[in-house]
Amino acid sequence: GAAAIDVDGTRIEAAEIVIATGSAPKLLPGVSISDRIITSDQALWFDRLPTSAVVIGAGAVGLEFASFYRSFGAEVTLLEALPRLAPLEDEQVSKEIARAYRKRGITTAAGASVQGIEETDEAVRVAYDAGKGTESLEADICLVATGRGPVTEGLDLAEAGVAIHDKGFVIVDGELRTNVEHVWAIGDVASTPLQLAHVAFTEGYAVAERIAGLDVAEIDYLNIPKVTYCTPEIASVGMTEEQARQAGLDVVVDTVDFRGIGKANMLREGGFVKLVAEVDG
């Protein structure tokens, strides 16, 4: 009952195979990477600081790079197709980050559909509609941060009978097993809820321990913290208020404003902590 993979014509047999090919940034349809149109991959190795940037996508990556570029003095416009920035976070967080970015001089537009990106010699022009008709702006660079897709091309997973989600992710159960015996998947390529480095590590440890014969509990993804490293920073764990109410839970909500803390005032930093708890019946 061993598994095997073919690497450049060489057959390698093993007791177990773990698919951990990760993810890659997704581009918008019809858009390709160039000197001025980049993804987070190119942004990490960019050889200069942009003077201005349009960032498309206000998830973790878009929020972080918009914040980073602004910290270095660039004029930044952040566009998000969904109705609010940080769309996966609690709605109160979205409102607060929009206000904080406005104070930092970052222009943001939610509910914005990008209609075209074109490069000229001197700049990149982005056309979008945020509900007021088509608007267009020019910037030094355009960073496309519209999410990440699984890297499975060329692995011949379908030929091996490994089931794949319609979005390309490898389907796994709660123990990270695929539908094929002795084949597992972990990290961004797996159809688990969170694409985060610490989640991939946790999944890797769990699979290694199961292969070693240990009985490991399934990962509780709901209780894994998520952090967006922008300024101000966003962190959350558990359900948002909306998710809790949609799950039919009777909840009580409390918010503590950081401005009630002396040190926050000295540092001139605002922000809040919001607790969503089930009413103790």
Side-chain angles (χ1 to χ4, degrees), residues 162-178:
V162 175
I164 292 175
H165 192 276
D166 57 6
K167 290 199 170 135
F169 295 96
V170 178
I171 296 171
V172 291
D173 65 9
E175 293 196 325
L176 301 157
R177 298 172 193 271
T178 68

Side-chain angles (χ1 to χ4, degrees), residues 203-218:
E203 291 172 348
Y205 294 144
V207 166
E209 288 172 349
R210 285 189 188 111
I211 288 171
L214 300 179
D215 184 18
V216 185
E218 292 188 7

Side-chain angles (χ1 to χ4, degrees), residues 10-141:
T10 305
R11 182 181 165 86
I12 299 172
E13 287 195 9
E16 310 284 334
I17 287 173
V18 182
I19 303 163
T21 45
S23 63
K26 285 197 290 205
L27 276 164
L28 293 167
V31 174
S32 50
I33 292 163
S34 68
D35 286 347
R36 296 186 185 276
I37 302 167
I38 63 172
T39 70
S40 58
D41 280 359
Q42 292 73 42
L44 291 172
W45 301 107
F46 219 57
D47 60 1
R48 62 190 170 82
L49 281 169
T51 53
S52 55
V54 177
V55 178
I56 300 171
V61 174
L63 287 167
E64 287 175 357
F65 275 102
S67 176
F68 165 70
Y69 289 147
R70 185 67 189 136
S71 294
F72 282 101
E75 292 294 324
V76 180
T77 303
L78 179 60
L79 306 174
E80 169 56 53
L82 292 168
R84 53 194 179 87
L85 308 185
L88 301 181
E89 299 289 347
D90 194 277
E91 202 163 338
Q92 216 169 324
V93 169
S94 297
K95 282 183 182 148
E96 186 73 13
I97 202 75
R99 187 159 52 236
Y101 272 26
R102 201 161 50 240
K103 277 172 79 171
R104 290 189 61 194
I106 298 170
T107 304
T108 66
S113 64
V114 173
Q115 291 166 331
I117 307 173
E118 59 180 32
E119 206 175 346
T120 64
D121 289 345
E122 301 297 317
V124 59
R125 185 180 294 115
V126 179
Y128 66 96
D129 185 348
K132 303 177 200 153
T134 301
E135 299 175 67
S136 152
L137 58 103
E138 286 197 349
D140 192 11
I141 62 161

Side-chain angles (χ1 to χ4, degrees), residues 229-255:
Y229 298 96
C230 49
T231 305
E233 196 169 78
I234 297 169
S236 62
V237 64
M239 291 183 179
T240 64
E241 183 182 348
E242 188 186 3
Q243 286 166 343
R245 293 194 192 283
Q246 279 178 348
L249 299 174
D250 187 11
V251 296
V252 57
V253 176
D254 203 0
T255 306

